[in-house]
Amino acid sequence: MVRLPVVMMVIATMAAVVPYTCRSITTNNHRLHPVILVPGAGGNQLEARLTSDYKASSWLCNRWLYPLKKDEGGWFRLWFDVGVLLAPLTECFAERMTIYYDRDVDDYRNAPGVETRVTQFGSTQSLLCLDPSLKHITSYMEALVESIQQLGYKDSQNLFGAPYDFRYGLASEGHPSYVGSTFLENLKQLVENASNANGGNPVILVSHSLGGLFALQLLNRNPPSWRKQYVKHFIALSAPWGGAVDEMLTFASGNALGVPLVNPLLVRNEQRSSESNLWLMPRRKQFPVETPLVVTPDSAYSSFDISRFLTDIGFEEGVYPYETRIMPMVEELAAPGVPVTCIVGNGVPTAETLYYGEDGFDKQPEIVYGDGDGTVNIASLLALEDEWEEEKDQKLKVIKLAGISHMDILKDDKSLARIIDEITTINSDISSSSLASSL
Ligand SMILES: *[C@@H]1O[C@H](CO)[C@@H](O)[C@H](O)[C@H]1NC(C)=O
């Protein structure tokens, strides 16, 4: 889905003008609550290294041949390198990005011979852009980071980034999820370190897209006393709480990374393999049983038919992990008690129903659009309003930005101003713990 469409980013970058204003001198740095950015799927760089166990599917993908440029340790940037937009290289990329569910250990793992790592954990560096050789056209959180820095924030001092291997997800209780849980442990450490390094001031978590689902899990998997001590506020941008119909399109027919030249079928297997993509299938509560999301000449599928849908598109391997690991986890969207602000775009045409013809799922469907941010449906973006309606102790604020897309929320001036306003308001809350505890 929700993995970043590259060309959309190009356009968004050219259109957005970063508001370069004078650095605010009114803010007192040591009073600032540290900010931790949690990116969305595809929102940070990912490195890989190929070992002798790697079996290339074609001579071109041979590990000595592509990519030629690696560091001494053999590491290269797997996500993202614009070179992979060339068809023959797209296949090398896809086979290296693919992950596999291993039923024996009940967990996902990389393709044989492919080692991956996230670099610069703790810094915002790897979230700024995805391919530093083409900084501008692959920029991601750069404009947001610059805006936050204008409040007096400094990278790795009171502004941090939490990149992760976004292909992996988390699983319901009792199921191992090595990569995802390791990320949550590191994120927990980062929250504690950030707070400790800033006079015990609790942090503000700012997530984009899938990062919001991870951040909520972080909160809910730690005791209320921990949340209260370390987290001041959670700002979730464009979070797909209830999944997205767009995800069914990705599973059925592939998603061309937002680039018209890429054949979506070349990346479909890789995208199907991603555990985090499975996490973002439409959730029952937001997409009722009577609403078909995918329609074919022979059948119709609602959010209650995801298993049958996965089988019919030819991805039966996904059914077991979906039913055992994902479904029980997404049923719960517990309120963390920490104040939450959701900032979402709306009024952008968003895939709501997919109509497939006689040619099956290999052919792109006719799409009927509804409300949302262009990627995530409005019911999903607003899911917490319903979900936490009865939660008396949960502070929830929802800010809707008309016409702002899933990606534009990180770049558009109006949206950046709104996010900055929210961070400023949180920082000026004089009931905050540092002052209260000094009384
Ligand atoms: C947190 O701080 C400890 C002690 O300084 C350090 O060893 C660890 O790497 C830090 N972890 C993170 C995620 O920042």
Side-chain angles (χ1 to χ4, degrees):
M1 120 173 260
V2 174
R3 208 178 282 176
L4 314 177
V6 177
V7 153
M8 273 172 61
M9 294 198 292
V10 177
I11 297 161
T13 311
M14 293 191 300
V17 180
V18 184
Y20 283 105
T21 55
C22 298
R23 178 160 295 185
S24 162
I25 46 163
T26 52
T27 333
N28 193 345
N29 280 8
H30 56 257
R31 284 266 177 74
L32 292 173
H33 289 277
V35 168
I36 299 182
L37 299 174
V38 188
N44 57 258
Q45 297 163 30
L46 198 60
E47 292 189 346
R49 166 163 86 173
L50 306 172
T51 71
S52 52
D53 291 336
Y54 175 64
K55 300 266 180 299
S57 61
S58 72
W59 64 270
L60 184 67
C61 301
N62 182 298
R63 71 184 172 118
W64 306 114
L65 210 54
Y66 177 72
L68 284 174
K69 217 176 121 216
K70 310 176 197 62
D71 75 6
E72 316 85 71
W75 294 98
F76 62 94
R77 204 176 341 93
L78 177 63
W79 181 266
F80 186 77
D81 172 359
V82 288
V84 308
L85 300 179
L86 293 171
L89 300 182
T90 311
E91 287 178 73
C92 311
F93 159 79
E95 70 186 31
R96 294 163 184 186
M97 280 287 279
T98 301
I99 61 174
Y100 295 86
Y101 175 68
D102 182 339
R103 186 123 178 199
D104 292 337
V105 294
D106 183 23
D107 205 353
Y108 281 80
R109 56 173 176 74
N110 277 359
V114 181
E115 293 174 7
T116 46
R117 69 176 185 190
V118 158
T119 58
Q120 299 175 295
F121 187 81
S123 163
T124 58
Q125 209 58 37
S126 81
L127 325 178
L128 298 178
C129 69
L130 303 176
D131 181 345
S133 68
L134 280 160
K135 248 176 110 176
H136 287 292
I137 67 165
T138 65
S139 109
Y140 175 58
M141 280 195 173
E142 195 175 17
L144 175 63
V145 167
E146 280 170 2
S147 298
I148 295 176
Q149 284 172 338
Q150 281 161 20
L151 294 175
Y153 279 95
K154 290 201 170 55
D155 188 43
S156 302
Q157 291 182 17
N158 52 6
L159 175 59
F160 303 87
Y164 59 99
D165 190 335
F166 48 82
R167 302 169 301 163
Y168 291 83
L170 288 167
S172 59
E173 215 182 321
H175 295 274
S177 177
Y178 179 76
V179 175
S181 349
T182 304
F183 166 58
L184 278 200
E185 277 167 34
N186 292 336
L187 180 54
K188 180 183 183 186
Q189 270 266 289
L190 182 60
V191 167
E192 293 177 8
N193 286 7
S195 172
N196 293 338
N198 287 275
N201 244 356
V203 310
I204 304 171
L205 291 169
V206 179
S207 66
H208 180 235
S209 195
L210 175 70
L213 275 61
F214 274 100
L216 184 61
Q217 292 284 331
L218 169 80
L219 295 172
N220 286 339
R221 289 179 186 210
N222 282 291
S225 57
W226 183 88
R227 298 173 215 162
K228 196 165 182 325
Q229 179 177 356
Y230 289 109
V231 184
K232 171 75 178 164
H233 204 108
F234 170 25
I235 303 176
L237 312 174
S238 319
W241 302 115
V245 173
D246 191 58
E247 200 63 62
M248 295 178 88
L249 174 58
T250 297
F251 273 87
S253 316
N255 174 327
L257 312 170
V259 181
L261 299 173
V262 170
N263 175 356
L265 298 181
L266 289 181
V267 285
R268 183 173 65 182
N269 276 339
E270 180 268 310
Q271 290 165 337
R272 286 178 173 179
S273 82
S274 158
E275 186 185 26
S276 58
N277 279 346
L278 216 44
W279 191 358
L280 297 170
M281 281 296 195
R283 181 174 183 256
R284 294 183 172 188
K285 218 152 161 194
Q286 279 67 49
F287 299 91
V289 64
E290 64 275 13
T291 310
L293 305 175
V294 174
V295 178
T296 68
D298 310 316
S299 197
Y301 307 84
S302 76
S303 70
F304 286 64
D305 306 311
I306 300 294
S307 296
R308 187 166 57 85
F309 169 75
L310 291 172
T311 304
D312 291 355
I313 61 172
F315 185 55
E316 209 174 350
E317 310 91 281
V319 173
Y320 182 80
Y322 177 73
E323 290 183 350
T324 58
R325 299 167 63 87
I326 305 290
M327 269 178 68
M329 177 173 65
V330 300
E331 265 162 32
E332 286 242 2
L333 267 182
V338 168
V340 174
T341 302
C342 293
I343 307 184
V344 308
N346 69 333
V348 183
T350 305
E352 200 161 84
T353 321
L354 314 174
Y355 289 90
Y356 283 93
E358 298 293 343
D359 297 330
F361 295 110
D362 288 355
K363 196 111 182 278
Q364 293 292 313
E366 300 265 342
I367 301 175
V368 170
Y369 294 89
D371 194 5
D373 68 6
T375 304
V376 182
N377 311 87
I378 195 73
S380 172
L381 294 166
L382 301 181
L384 298 185
E385 285 183 330
D386 286 346
E387 201 74 25
W388 297 347
E389 208 181 351
E390 311 286 315
E391 302 281 348
K392 298 277 175 292
D393 298 326
Q394 177 62 50
K395 282 190 194 147
L396 174 68
K397 177 169 162 189
V398 176
I399 298 170
K400 292 180 210 154
L401 301 171
I404 300 294
S405 75
H406 196 70
M407 295 303 303
D408 277 353
I409 201 160
L410 298 173
K411 314 192 149 112
D412 178 90
D413 285 353
K414 194 173 64 171
S415 148
L416 290 177
R418 209 58 204 78
I419 299 167
I420 293 306
D421 189 46
E422 196 63 17
I423 294 175
T424 306
T425 306
I426 295 164
N427 273 311
S428 61
D429 173 8
I430 51 155
S431 67
S432 76
S433 62
S434 61
L435 280 184
S437 61
S438 65
L439 290 176

